[in-house]
Amino acid sequence: MALRFASLGSGSSGNGLVVEVANTRVMMDCGFTLADTKERLARVGLTPRDLTAIVVTHEHDDHMGGVARLAKRYAIPVYLTRGSAQWLPEDFPAVLVRLIDSHTAIAIGDLSVEPFPVPHDAREPVQFAFSDGDARLGVVTDLGCITQHVVDKLSGCRALVIECNHDIDMLMAGPYPPSLKQRVASRFGHLDNSAARHLVECLDRSRLRHLIAAHLSQQNNTPALARRALATAACCEDDWIGVAGQADGFAWRDA
Ligand SMILES: [Zn+2]
Ligand SMILES: [Zn+2]
């Protein structure tokens, strides 16, 4: 069984990633409207009915804003921590809720899904690693700072999707109000390019075949800067690094 994955888009205006093994397809986060989600799924050859489950990282709108409507309309089970579940609308069907523990791996069809807690300014945020028993995909967006636990979870992955939120100089010189600058750059905010570089440098990269920058700020970063940071860490050419764009995400990749 092969694991493949595609991004429907990534950034502060909405996130969504699909992971597939055989007939199991799990969508990680949905920050898009229903119509937009359908369009973005169609781009990778899917419809909502192809989704086995949705897994949620945290309650921020760019990750959870589209989850309830999509799940309810198509009766898709939603896996999330108790802290995130508090943010589901009151009329959300309890039968579709699957509470997860942020330290316990679960099986969804043919896919092993491993949540792990991360420092971020949300109630009970997690990120995920996915495995088919051989290939492992690790995803971290919305990470305030690097923890040893995150390093352990992302080590040995075949594919990595890593937040490169901002360039610290662009953020500080940019138009955000001081309070927002501080929030973004804090230990419970978002990873900047140099922290992302440091994270990748800390990892066991012996099996790494895909390295993708995600959740880039359109205001405070550029794809070229993010690529440069990750390429430096991985000792590779800049153009080997993928970028998950806000508008277009990225096409299927075989892990
Ligand atoms: Zn986010
Ligand atoms: Zn967030």
Side-chain angles (χ1 to χ4, degrees):
M1 282 187 296
L3 183 154
R4 63 175 192 157
F5 60 104
S7 167
L8 306 185
S10 181
S12 56
S13 303
N15 293 271
L17 184 107
V18 187
V19 187
E20 179 188 276
V21 174
N23 283 323
T24 303
R25 281 172 215 91
V26 171
M27 184 164 171
M28 173 174 163
D29 289 336
C30 181
F32 307 109
T33 64
L34 190 54
D36 198 12
T37 302
K38 284 202 243 178
E39 246 182 73
R40 287 169 186 264
L41 282 170
R43 275 193 234 153
V44 295
L46 298 177
T47 74
R49 294 189 198 287
D50 296 318
L51 298 176
T52 313
I54 301 170
V55 298
V56 174
T57 57
H58 64 297
E59 70 270 21
H60 292 162
D61 252 9
D62 54 322
H63 299 266
M64 197 166 159
V67 167
R69 190 162 285 171
L70 174 68
K72 203 171 152 182
R73 173 72 67 86
Y74 295 96
I76 305 166
V78 178
Y79 292 75
L80 72 187
T81 62
R82 192 173 288 278
S84 300
Q86 292 173 356
W87 300 84
L88 286 167
E90 258 173 44
D91 64 349
F92 189 78
V95 66
L96 295 178
V97 178
R98 308 276 188 280
L99 292 179
I100 58 172
D101 178 278
S102 56
H103 286 281
T104 308
I106 47 168
I108 302 178
D110 293 314
L111 201 56
S112 164
V113 180
E114 219 175 290
F116 52 93
V118 291
H120 186 56
D121 53 2
R123 190 66 67 89
E124 195 183 353
V126 292
Q127 295 288 327
F128 293 98
F130 303 88
S131 167
D132 62 358
D134 176 30
R136 184 174 167 89
L137 160 69
V139 185
V140 274
T141 64
D142 302 71
L143 178 67
C145 58
I146 301 165
T147 65
Q148 185 57 46
H149 192 55
V150 168
V151 170
D152 292 345
K153 290 296 173 182
L154 298 182
S155 276
C157 282
R158 196 89 69 86
L160 289 170
V161 178
I162 305 263
E163 166 161 63
C164 290
N165 184 265
H166 56 278
D167 172 85
I168 193 70
D169 296 329
M170 283 180 76
L171 174 71
M172 290 311 168
Y176 283 9
S179 60
L180 184 55
K181 286 180 183 178
Q182 215 164 57
R183 205 221 109 204
V184 169
S186 83
R187 294 177 67 79
F188 292 91
H190 291 276
L191 222 57
D192 76 346
N193 291 339
S194 64
R197 171 185 162 179
H198 181 61
L199 172 59
V200 173
E201 283 169 348
C202 291
L203 302 177
D204 168 2
R205 301 185 300 278
S206 54
R207 304 187 71 198
L208 191 63
R209 283 194 203 162
H210 304 266
L211 182 54
I212 297 160
H215 216 300
L216 273 67
S217 165
Q218 307 201 52
Q219 197 75 252
N220 301 313
N221 207 355
T222 67
L225 286 172
R227 279 202 174 93
R228 185 87 281 269
L230 295 190
T232 304
C235 307
C236 67
E237 298 294 324
D238 291 12
D239 59 11
W240 188 77
I241 305 294
V243 172
Q246 181 69 81
D248 47 1
F250 56 82
W252 288 112
R253 286 176 175 238
D254 295 304

